[in-house]
Amino acid sequence: LGQHEEAAKSFQKTIELAPEKIDALYYLAVSESRRGRTEQGIAAMRKAIAIAPENFEYLKELGLMLNSAAKYE
């Protein structure tokens, strides 16, 4: 849990300093989800998908997060 928290802080800082680093949004989303903050993970992944809607990995991960949260859209 501690590593994911540190990672999330690092990715958040990257996003603040370089918002064009879309992969930071993806990794922030994954870190949030893995530490039990599924809603925050979903929100971050949706932002990444809004920027890169063709990215299959982002779409797949969002599906997994939604399934985990029992949110079937």
Side-chain angles (χ1 to χ4, degrees):
L1 188 63
Q3 289 178 335
H4 288 294
E5 184 174 347
E6 288 301 314
K9 287 179 186 177
S10 177
F11 295 132
Q12 188 63 46
K13 188 70 165 175
T14 299
I15 293 163
E16 290 170 15
L17 296 173
E20 73 279 2
K21 302 267 186 192
I22 187 171
D23 283 345
L25 268 173
Y26 169 79
Y27 291 117
L28 172 64
V30 171
S31 291
E32 292 288 39
S33 180
R34 298 251 165 83
R35 65 186 186 127
R37 296 171 45 99
T38 307
E39 293 300 321
Q40 292 84 347
I42 290 169
M45 192 61 71
R46 288 186 190 277
K47 287 179 185 177
I49 291 169
I51 297 167
E54 73 289 344
N55 189 306
F56 176 76
E57 187 65 28
Y58 297 176
L59 293 167
K60 179 187 80 160
E61 195 65 42
L62 176 62
L64 292 171
M65 288 178 189
L66 291 169
N67 187 53
S68 170
K71 293 188 177 215
Y72 308 108
E73 299 179 2

